[in-house]
Amino acid sequence: MNAQEMFTRLQVKLGNLAPEFELHYKAELAVEILELKRQRNAVILGHNYMEPALFHSIPDFTGDSLDLSRKAATTDKDVIVFCGVRFMAETAKILNPTKTVLLPSEKAGCSLAASITAEDVRALKARFPGAPVVSYVNTYADVKAESDICCTSSNAVAVVESLKADTVIFVPDEYLARNVARETGKHIIFPTLHPVNGDTLLDYQLVGWHGRCEVHEKFTVEDIRRVRAQFPDVVILAHPECSPEVVAAADFAGSTNAMIRYVQQTRAPHYLLLTECAMGDNIAAANPEKDMLRLCMVRCPHMNMITLEDTRDALLFNRYVIEIPEDIRQRAYRAVERMIQIG
């Protein structure tokens, strides 16, 4: 594909979102990246939160964390370029220890993943001996290594129920844990790690952690009320990283892939997505016949670190290479593989 053909593709998809001169520039970058991808025998994975020009041009596969984990596990390419954030690239490396995994921006972290450490998980396991640990895929490799199984927002309930345990430790997303507790009928607690005056915790089934996504925690029930007042027939979709109150007030809650399928398979006068802004633009570009309202408070600052320029440089200069100590990788692999098997 040449630059003019790429420009035409982007213009069809994104003509209402970006000026032509920007699309021309990004089309040239995208063509350069595709040639480098061919030369390096690389595969490019693009998360649903990538900015539209990148999302609709260079990835071989797009999707949510679980979908891309599956793709990473089966690739036969020498190099994996993960257009997402660090914990996602780490997951690809966990599944592909012999392949080169590149993260285009060294600074593409995650506030939720940073909210918990392996030491924190070990302390929880000591406090609640015998309770299996479910770690959200939005965690770093050392936390996954301390876990029995990982989950994503799309399979969190299925993962918890698969354990058939009286008590489950679920980290680190507070709101996802609360939403899982609501769906499974479990009583959730958020303990301090150091009991005061020998306090005893009774009647708990799910042990959570106070971690939150800095994007999804911003949406409120009041936001929903105001939108419904102006657009009474709007269908509102919320990500499970939103608060339980927001999820309950929405019409549908699900992972990013589930939201995409919902929009594709339904007809409504208006849709509103309570999730990361770039994903709303990507869905609007893919479904031009659907009326997508905007309530875009903030882009994920970490996802926003991944650009076409950095993706080109990742392939050009072989940066930034993801490395995981083998003992941690092997233990994390077991938790990730169990998640993939559940689907």
Side-chain angles (χ1 to χ4, degrees):
M1 181 179 295
N2 61 37
Q4 183 57 44
E5 291 169 335
M6 179 62 75
F7 167 75
T8 301
R9 177 203 283 188
L10 292 178
Q11 188 179 41
V12 169
K13 289 283 188 183
L14 311 177
N16 294 328
L17 298 175
E20 284 193 0
F21 72 87
E22 181 180 344
L23 294 182
H24 273 296
Y25 168 69
K26 294 193 172 182
E28 291 174 358
L29 273 174
V31 169
E32 186 179 357
I33 291 167
L34 293 178
E35 175 57 22
L36 288 167
K37 180 178 73 172
R38 185 192 64 79
Q39 293 174 11
R40 295 288 308 275
N41 191 32
V43 62
I44 298 179
L45 307 178
H47 190 267
N48 289 328
Y49 291 167
M50 289 296 97
E51 61 109 352
L54 188 157
F55 184 85
H56 290 285
S57 61
I58 61 170
D60 296 282
F61 302 103
T62 57
D64 60 14
S65 297
L66 180 59
D67 198 26
L68 295 178
S69 293
R70 290 196 184 105
K71 295 297 190 299
T74 59
T75 185
D76 60 354
K77 301 296 185 181
D78 298 326
V79 178
I80 300 170
V81 182
F82 213 122
C83 293
V85 291
R86 185 175 187 86
F87 73 79
M88 297 177 184
E90 284 189 349
T91 303
K93 184 64 176 180
I94 288 166
L95 295 166
N96 297 274
T98 64
K99 299 183 186 298
T100 299
V101 177
L102 303 177
L103 180 65
S105 173
E106 195 174 29
K107 296 179 180 179
C110 172
S111 59
L112 181 57
S115 73
I116 193 165
T117 66
E119 184 179 354
D120 293 329
V121 180
R122 288 192 290 270
L124 282 171
K125 290 197 291 187
R127 180 94 185 271
F128 302 94
V133 177
V134 177
S135 66
Y136 193 24
V137 75
N138 299 39
T139 48
Y140 292 123
D142 58 344
V143 169
K144 290 180 173 70
E146 297 294 334
S147 308
D148 294 279
I149 187 170
C150 294
C151 75
T152 68
S153 58
S154 62
N155 68 5
V157 170
V159 165
V160 168
E161 291 181 336
S162 76
L163 296 170
K164 297 181 173 29
D166 292 334
T167 303
V168 174
I169 299 169
F170 189 104
V171 296
D173 191 285
E174 173 188 344
Y175 287 159
L176 181 59
R178 290 186 187 277
N179 286 318
V180 168
R182 182 172 56 86
E183 281 200 55
T184 59
K186 291 182 180 294
H187 178 211
I188 189 169
I189 62 167
F190 292 87
T192 59
L193 289 182
H194 305 289
V196 178
N197 298 325
D199 66 338
T200 301
L201 295 167
L202 301 175
D203 185 27
Y204 57 81
Q205 297 166 306
L206 202 64
V207 178
W209 185 260
H210 287 299
R212 296 181 184 179
C213 168
E214 63 188 281
V215 172
H216 291 105
E217 73 171 338
K218 293 183 182 295
F219 297 109
T220 67
V221 173
E222 180 62 17
D223 294 329
I224 293 177
R225 188 194 67 76
R226 288 175 178 173
V227 172
R228 289 200 193 279
Q230 184 175 356
F231 301 95
D233 50 3
V234 67
V235 171
I236 296 178
L237 290 72
H239 192 278
E241 290 175 19
C242 294
S243 73
E245 295 77 17
V246 167
V247 167
D251 300 292
F252 176 83
S255 67
T256 55
N257 271 10
M259 286 193 275
I260 290 170
R261 287 192 297 271
Y262 188 96
V263 172
Q264 290 172 338
Q265 296 170 6
T266 60
R267 296 180 64 85
H270 314 284
Y271 294 90
L272 175 68
L273 272 65
L274 302 182
T275 189
E276 210 272 352
C277 296
M279 181 178 157
D281 288 338
N282 290 331
I283 293 182
N287 299 272
E289 76 285 3
K290 306 287 177 78
D291 184 19
M292 308 296 298
L293 303 180
R294 296 290 196 275
L295 185 61
C296 199
M297 297 179 175
V298 64
R299 273 220 65 194
C300 171
H302 311 285
M303 292 287 188
N304 202 28
M305 293 281 183
I306 306 298
T307 65
L308 282 165
E309 291 88 344
D310 285 339
T311 305
R312 174 200 58 198
D313 291 348
L315 284 164
L316 200 57
F317 304 115
N318 201 49
R319 70 185 193 195
Y320 294 91
V321 178
I322 299 296
E323 300 286 0
I324 301 173
E326 184 60 13
D327 62 324
I328 290 177
R329 190 202 68 80
Q330 287 184 6
R331 288 187 291 134
Y333 176 86
R334 290 192 289 270
V336 173
E337 180 62 19
R338 287 186 70 186
M339 171 189 76
I340 291 175
Q341 291 303 315
I342 285 182

